[in-house]
Amino acid sequence: MSQYSSENISELISTQILDTLDKSVNRIQLNDKKKCKTLAEPLSKYILSSAVPELTPSTLQNIIENHELVFILFYTDWSIEKKFVNLAIFEAAADIIRLEVFKPGQLFLGRVECEREKSLQEMFNICHYPQFKLVRNGEIAKRNFRGKVTVEELVKYVQDELKDPIKIFLDIYDMGSLDHEKRLFIGFFETKDDPEYNIFRRVATNFKHYCQFRAGFGCDPTKFYSKNKPLVVLRSDVTLSHEEDLIFNGSLIDYNEVNSWIFKNYVPLVRKTSITFENEGDYIVENLPMLVLVHKENEDNHVKRFIDFCEFSFMHLRDKMLFLTSSDLKYAQRLSRFKYNIVLPVIYYQNTDFSSCLFGDINSLEIPEKLEDFVKEVVNEKTVLEEAINLTKNNIDGIIASNEVVFILFYGSTSRECMLMDVPPFNEAAMVMKTEYPSPGNITLGKVDILLEKELQYRFKAMYFPKYVLLHNGKIEKINLKLHPTRIGRVSSLIEFIKQKLEFFKELDTFDS
């Protein structure tokens, strides 16, 4: 336990930050010091622990192999103020978390200074600071900490991740309340000390956000299944699927085998949870193309028809494409902005780079070969969709030379905010502009991932993202682009800005001639 009490913690943190700032910076403004103290004051009710261990490539691998959960703070020394405030918050949170009783090897908290450990920064795709990453059972978690960097939020996040996702049942006929939007895995064991149950518990933590887990001890599963305990089964949903309960026939003491089986089956081919305008980001992070049935509410007959078709035709594409449904009005309204003539239900395709197209209505399923051929083409990347062009150092000069106007978005592919709020509206604007200005050589919208194209990043001085660059006849123009705060409004902002610039350039060319 730390020697410091809650009464003097604020004074201690503020003093540490200010002393370090005074030693590291010759001239520092008084208001900067006050800001540091203000940021440190909310920590007054917590206890400061000793420093959280700093991780290196040589130590990280051993820690990951010997801990179920590893929670890491990535930071940099670029901003001294942010560095010490973030470390103080993380250490205060770590001290509170350590007060709980953990099993050996259950949790480890560490930090990485990205300037010193470039290889770890690249391994975890860190592009802004501070950033937190969770490693569970040796794999980087898909869902990481996204809240405000406060002691309360960090403690709550770690506590939630440590919760046992398995609920115990005494009677197989009474498993408590179930979420019918998530798949259910049921385990039958003798006791909690069984090695098979420990493997089941560890694997369950990997999928706690996507599935639900139940376990019974002493129950006889032979009344319902052909095998006795220890046993794990996947219970199907007969209301929207023709699947039967699936029994795991592998070794329950082999972590990799159990994990692979649940990963393969943890979601049905067609997700039960409807994709919406708000939760779309949870699917985008999986980085797979999406085939979506967009329908009205309470159209279960169309949903079941879509599910039946996909399970019959596309089961082999489970790892290559997402099959989804949506009854969200906002999500459907996006299609109308692409000049699509919408009469629900329709089938809609979106690629990983946010390019998209409308396949057809639900009746197109009456000709199975049509959708099967379409999916086969897009999976093999033969279909070219209208979108903002991906610019590279190899093609950018040719595109600039052959177009009067080139509008470029510089973005970072590892930034969730960029991938949700900047790239999709830019692609949608590109689709509209190609429809309204189809003549070649007029205008082209392109995008640059600065994490892949460092040379272009430095050439156009895109040291932050998102950054927009407009070129007219090969020359960079000064722009004052004000974007709407919402994603829907941002599309309109971009289109209006581009049209105004095109009109201005047209008048300018007329004046010059």
Side-chain angles (χ1 to χ4, degrees):
M1 179 62 64
S2 170
Q3 60 178 317
Y4 305 112
S5 64
S6 59
E7 286 76 13
N8 61 17
I9 183 65
S10 177
E11 183 71 24
L12 172 67
I13 295 175
S14 301
T15 303
Q16 285 182 334
I17 295 172
L18 295 177
D19 286 348
T20 307
L21 282 166
D22 286 333
K23 292 177 182 177
S24 305
V25 183
N26 293 328
R27 295 181 180 179
I28 181 166
Q29 299 297 325
L30 181 62
N31 59 349
D32 290 333
K33 295 185 179 182
K34 289 181 177 179
K35 186 177 180 181
C36 293
K37 188 170 184 179
T38 301
L39 289 169
E41 283 175 354
L43 301 172
S44 58
K45 58 183 177 179
Y46 298 112
I47 299 172
L48 184 66
S49 68
S50 57
V52 173
E54 185 168 354
L55 303 177
T56 65
S58 59
T59 61
L60 180 61
Q61 187 60 37
N62 182 59
I63 289 170
I64 289 177
E65 290 176 355
N66 291 282
H67 292 84
E68 287 186 25
L69 211 65
V70 181
F71 190 45
I72 309 172
L73 163 67
F74 290 85
Y75 67 99
T76 178
D77 286 337
W78 288 348
S79 171
I80 300 174
E81 171 194 317
K82 287 185 178 180
K83 169 189 173 182
F84 285 97
V85 171
N86 289 327
L87 283 178
I89 292 173
F90 192 59
E91 290 175 4
D95 215 42
I96 294 175
I97 294 168
R98 291 190 185 112
L99 295 177
E100 299 190 16
V101 179
F102 300 116
K103 296 179 181 178
Q106 189 175 6
L107 175 67
F108 187 93
L109 293 95
R111 59 188 172 94
V112 172
E113 204 291 312
C114 294
E115 281 297 290
R116 287 192 292 272
E117 306 298 346
K118 288 287 187 182
S119 61
L120 295 183
Q121 178 187 6
E122 294 177 1
M123 179 191 302
F124 286 85
N125 291 321
I126 304 300
C127 58
H128 62 85
Y129 315 98
Q131 194 168 350
F132 298 87
K133 289 290 184 178
L134 187 73
V135 181
R136 190 196 306 277
N137 294 318
E139 297 182 4
I140 302 174
K142 288 184 178 180
R143 294 191 178 190
N144 286 284
F145 177 77
R146 297 175 183 172
K148 293 182 179 180
V149 184
T150 65
V151 175
E152 294 96 333
E153 291 294 323
L154 289 173
V155 171
K156 182 179 182 299
Y157 173 77
V158 174
Q159 288 175 339
D160 288 343
E161 292 299 324
L162 287 168
K163 287 180 180 178
D164 191 342
I166 300 177
K167 295 183 179 180
I168 309 302
F169 66 86
L170 300 177
D171 186 346
I172 194 172
Y173 293 104
D174 183 15
M175 295 194 179
S177 60
L178 296 174
D179 183 352
H180 295 288
E181 296 290 329
K182 296 181 178 180
R183 287 205 149 182
L184 173 63
F185 289 87
I186 307 172
F188 299 88
F189 308 95
E190 286 291 350
T191 68
K192 275 193 173 183
D193 296 327
D194 290 358
E196 293 88 352
Y197 174 75
N198 185 51
I199 295 295
F200 183 61
R201 180 194 60 78
R202 285 182 58 198
V203 173
T205 62
N206 295 338
F207 303 94
K208 61 189 297 182
H209 298 296
Y210 312 99
C211 312
Q212 48 196 339
F213 296 88
R214 298 290 187 272
F217 302 98
C219 302
D220 184 9
T222 57
K223 297 178 182 179
F224 308 94
Y225 305 104
S226 59
K227 293 181 66 177
N228 204 342
K229 53 184 176 295
L231 174 68
V232 172
V233 299
L234 165 62
R235 176 171 289 182
S236 64
D237 181 358
V238 296
T239 60
L240 290 176
S241 174
H242 296 299
E243 298 179 5
E244 298 180 353
D245 288 8
L246 188 62
I247 299 176
F248 175 67
N249 291 312
S251 171
L252 280 172
I253 58 174
D254 187 327
Y255 169 85
N256 292 327
E257 192 172 352
V258 177
N259 189 69
S260 298
W261 182 78
I262 292 184
F263 174 77
K264 181 180 179 181
N265 297 286
Y266 80 102
V267 289
L269 180 67
V270 180
R271 306 287 178 93
K272 292 182 181 180
T273 304
S274 175
I275 183 173
T276 66
F277 186 80
E278 286 75 17
N279 71 9
E280 183 181 13
D282 294 335
Y283 298 97
I284 288 175
V285 296
E286 297 190 38
N287 197 33
L288 291 172
M290 298 186 289
L291 191 69
V292 186
L293 171 67
V294 186
H295 62 95
K296 298 177 182 177
E297 290 187 3
N298 302 318
E299 288 188 335
D300 290 345
N301 57 327
H302 294 313
V303 174
K304 188 172 179 63
R305 183 179 176 187
F306 181 71
I307 290 175
D308 290 346
F309 183 90
C310 292
E311 288 181 349
F312 181 79
S313 302
F314 302 132
M315 192 63 74
H316 62 290
L317 298 176
R318 176 188 292 273
D319 300 328
K320 296 182 178 180
M321 179 178 287
L322 298 181
F323 297 89
L324 307 166
T325 64
S326 176
S327 59
D328 180 50
L329 181 61
K330 287 184 180 179
Y331 192 84
Q333 287 175 340
R334 296 178 56 209
L335 307 186
S336 62
R337 297 202 310 280
F338 299 158
K339 308 292 183 181
Y340 294 145
N341 194 8
I342 300 299
V343 179
L344 300 181
V346 296
I347 299 172
Y348 167 73
Y349 173 81
Q350 179 171 300
N351 212 335
T352 53
D353 55 13
F354 301 99
S355 58
S356 60
C357 69
L358 190 66
F359 171 73
D361 60 28
I362 190 69
N363 294 321
S364 60
L365 297 181
E366 295 178 0
I367 309 176
E369 297 82 4
K370 188 177 179 181
L371 183 56
E372 289 173 355
D373 290 344
F374 171 80
V375 171
K376 184 177 180 180
E377 285 184 1
V378 296
V379 169
N380 293 332
E381 299 181 345
K382 294 179 181 177
T383 299
V384 179
L385 303 175
E386 298 297 321
E387 57 158 349
I389 298 172
N390 291 313
L391 300 177
T392 68
K393 63 181 181 180
N394 298 322
N395 67 6
I396 190 169
D397 290 323
I399 290 172
I400 292 175
S402 59
N403 286 273
E404 179 185 351
V405 178
V406 179
F407 191 35
I408 306 174
L409 164 65
F410 290 84
Y411 70 99
S413 57
T414 57
S415 168
R416 184 176 186 272
E417 183 175 356
C418 247
M419 299 305 290
L420 288 177
M421 293 300 297
D422 297 297
V423 176
F426 194 77
N427 272 329
E428 293 178 22
M431 296 172 68
V432 173
M433 297 309 296
K434 285 184 180 180
T435 302
E436 298 190 7
Y437 298 87
S439 301
N442 193 348
I443 180 171
T444 292
L445 274 70
K447 55 186 187 291
V448 176
D449 183 354
I450 65 173
L451 300 178
L452 301 177
E453 300 294 336
K454 290 293 184 183
E455 187 174 318
L456 295 185
Q457 177 188 10
Y458 295 122
R459 173 179 168 182
F460 289 90
K461 299 179 181 179
M463 307 317 293
Y464 61 90
F465 56 82
K467 180 177 181 179
Y468 295 87
V469 174
L470 182 69
L471 295 99
H472 178 229
N473 292 328
K475 295 182 179 180
I476 298 178
E477 299 285 333
K478 291 183 178 181
I479 61 174
N480 182 20
L481 177 58
K482 295 181 179 180
L483 293 174
H484 196 274
T486 67
R487 193 167 64 176
I488 293 178
R490 193 161 293 192
V491 179
S492 301
S493 301
L494 288 167
I495 293 173
E496 182 180 357
F497 169 80
I498 296 169
K499 288 183 176 180
Q500 287 177 352
K501 284 297 180 181
L502 288 175
E503 188 66 27
F504 172 76
F505 292 142
K506 183 179 179 181
E507 293 178 0
L508 186 64
D509 292 340
T510 303
F511 178 78
D512 291 339
S513 61

